[in-house]
Amino acid sequence: MKKDTFNRRTVLTGTTALGAASLLPGRVLAQNAAPAAGAGPAGALPARGEFVVRGAQVLSMDDKIGDLPSGDVHVRNGAIVAVAASVPAPGAQVIDGKGMICMPGFVDTHWHHWTTFLRPAMRADDPKKTYFPVTLALGLHYTPEDSYRSVRLGLAEALSAGITTTHNWAHNVRSPAHADAEVKAMRESGLRGRFAYGPSLGMPNDKPMDIADWARLKKDVGKDDMLSLGICSRNIDGNNTARGAIDAAMAKKEWGAARELGLPITLHTSGSASVQLLNENGLLGPDVQLVHPLNLDAKNFEALAKHDVRYSISPLGEAGRTGETQLAELLQAGVKVSLSIDNVTAERCDCFACMHMLQTLNKHRTAGKYKLTTKRLVQMATIDGAVDLGLADKTGSLTPGKRADLILVRTGGPNMREIGDPYDALVQLAQPSDIDTVVADGRILRRKGAFTALDYDKVSRDATEAFNGLKARAKWA
Ligand SMILES: [Zn+2]
């Protein structure tokens, strides 16, 4: 364990304080606007066929295969069959990869999809209309249909930004029907993902989550190769935050129940106290993912590495908090780190910008002492995310035998050409609009920068309708 030798400016302690207690329980659901009726799926998923990407610059993120200046990727029935300089693949549909980078789809490891359609209520320059006040006030009035439509909108953005796996951090599961609605949206999207079953906003901190429903949903999710189930825990650092705050006894009860069911656990932390508490109570383990590494100390890093805990960094969010993301310390200690979007209510979904921001934050925090290559950043956004979510045998690299989750990034646009090192270009120059093709589990879900099957106009209309109904019911001005 190396000592933390980096400059550390004074940083805020604890997670974002609620500052809006009046918005928590006690508000009565207004009855003057009926919830939106159920919306049908926005398009059937395309079939998994057989195709070969020819002549792309292949960044496999697989150490044995490495990078190919010009290579082919052959996909059949959802699986990667071959990755090589030249693959015959007779009869397969050919996708011209010239002028494109072919790489694994991005893996997001923490995203509150249910908040997505709340954007119209948000204003960054009005403290009453920033992320926490808005999500707390409106979240209390969500119907299952609201959850479905909001998650669906978030997943559409994920897909258009080249994300093929997402960890849906659902901390407003107001009933089993809300859980089902979020899972339905995930299933229909065609993306790979984990649904992290959380509390209901505003529920009493001394009441356990709906543990019985975890077992029910596990059976349902277990039927689907694309999805898995976990839980998201309320905070345990004593702050009454937007995600609830429980004591160690409740954490033991809930985490113990999750572990009996084999469900991984995720938790927001921003400080040494919660990691210490988790460690003292024997709760850390490889099935634990923590979110937002800020304000940790040397002992924390040691404990996290010892127990093989995973940590998810949301660089765009971290930059807006303290900017003191402790990436270098985590990596030096041997902690597994991945990247996440967090929310698209107050931030953009842009994995390229996330990598670039993390590179910048690390550079300033360590005064350039901790070197981070651009390839390392791309690894964190792909294969390391798959490792975090326990999916490295299925996704995160272009490896024969893994499922076909891949993207094609155009390099010919005004912002990219002529590129030098491809990793450098992805981190420094690329934009989501450069993503030409997105394939998840062998299904081509985006092609030439457009959805192949998803009726985005319907997704958009349905989200607007539901948001307007929600706003009226909540009497949100
Ligand atoms: Zn979060």
Side-chain angles (χ1 to χ4, degrees), residues 16-18 20 23 110-119 121-139 142 150 168-172 201 241-243 268 291-292 314 317 321 341-348 476:
T16 306
L18 178 59
L23 299 173
H110 138 250
W111 182 336
H112 309 281
H113 281 282
W114 72 268
T115 66
T116 303
F117 76 14
L118 296 177
R119 287 174 188 143
M122 303 282 298
R123 278 201 63 152
D125 56 0
D126 179 349
K128 291 189 191 130
K129 294 187 175 178
T130 50
Y131 182 80
F132 285 106
V134 169
T135 56
L136 284 166
L138 292 172
Y142 264 55
S150 196
N168 182 8
W169 222 101
H171 64 289
N172 191 23
L201 274 189
T241 73
R243 301 167 213 95
H268 282 61
V291 178
H292 299 317
S314 315
R321 292 182 183 88
I341 296 299
D342 195 342
N343 71 80
V344 291
T345 321
E347 284 150 21
R348 63 180 60 76
W476 180 263

Side-chain angles (χ1 to χ4, degrees), residues 18-30:
L18 178 59
S22 61
L23 299 173
L24 278 176
R27 289 187 59 155
V28 177
L29 188 71

Side-chain angles (χ1 to χ4, degrees), residues 46-290:
R48 298 178 183 90
E50 181 177 5
F51 63 90
V52 59
V53 177
R54 288 216 183 280
Q57 184 163 23
V58 178
L59 307 181
S60 72
M61 311 316 290
D62 178 316
D63 290 340
K64 287 192 188 132
I65 295 170
D67 302 334
L68 307 170
S70 175
D72 298 350
V73 178
H74 182 198
V75 171
R76 188 169 54 222
N77 295 331
I80 297 172
V81 180
V83 181
S86 178
V87 178
Q93 176 196 350
V94 174
I95 294 178
D96 187 1
K98 284 190 200 67
M100 313 239 202
I101 291 170
C102 181
M103 61 180 282
F106 291 113
V107 178
D108 154 73
T109 58
H110 138 250
W111 182 336
H112 309 281
H113 281 282
W114 72 268
T115 66
T116 303
F117 76 14
L118 296 177
R119 287 174 188 143
M122 303 282 298
R123 278 201 63 152
D125 56 0
D126 179 349
K128 291 189 191 130
K129 294 187 175 178
T130 50
Y131 182 80
F132 285 106
V134 169
T135 56
L136 284 166
L138 292 172
L140 298 176
H141 300 269
Y142 264 55
T143 63
E145 186 67 19
D146 293 332
S147 300
Y148 170 69
R149 295 187 190 192
S150 196
V151 170
R152 198 170 60 171
L153 182 63
L155 294 169
E157 184 172 7
L159 183 51
S160 62
I163 289 173
T164 51
T165 300
T166 186
H167 184 196
N168 182 8
W169 222 101
H171 64 289
N172 191 23
V173 181
R174 308 197 68 74
S175 73
H178 288 76
D180 288 343
E182 295 210 23
V183 168
K184 178 170 173 251
M186 294 179 77
R187 195 168 265 147
E188 288 175 2
S189 75
L191 297 180
R192 197 176 305 285
R194 181 192 293 172
F195 176 72
Y197 198 129
S200 169
L201 274 189
M203 70 180 282
N205 288 328
D206 59 359
K207 185 182 165 203
M209 289 195 270
D210 191 351
I211 292 169
D213 200 46
W214 299 348
R216 176 198 66 85
L217 193 59
K218 190 189 171 195
K219 280 194 200 135
D220 177 52
V221 168
K223 294 179 207 150
D224 193 326
D225 288 341
M226 295 295 285
L227 300 180
S228 64
L229 186 68
I231 70 150
C232 42
S233 173
R234 288 170 282 179
N235 287 19
I236 66 157
D237 56 8
N239 294 326
N240 186 14
T241 73
R243 301 167 213 95
I246 55 175
D247 58 19
M250 181 62 80
K252 279 186 177 174
K253 182 184 175 80
E254 291 183 335
W255 291 36
R259 282 174 165 149
E260 269 180 36
L261 289 166
L263 304 179
I265 299 152
T266 178
L267 171 80
H268 282 61
T269 61
S270 281
S272 63
S274 52
V275 175
Q276 196 180 325
L277 195 67
L278 290 168
N279 195 27
E280 284 167 1
N281 284 278
L283 289 170
L284 295 176
D287 56 352
V288 175
Q289 180 211 57
L290 304 179

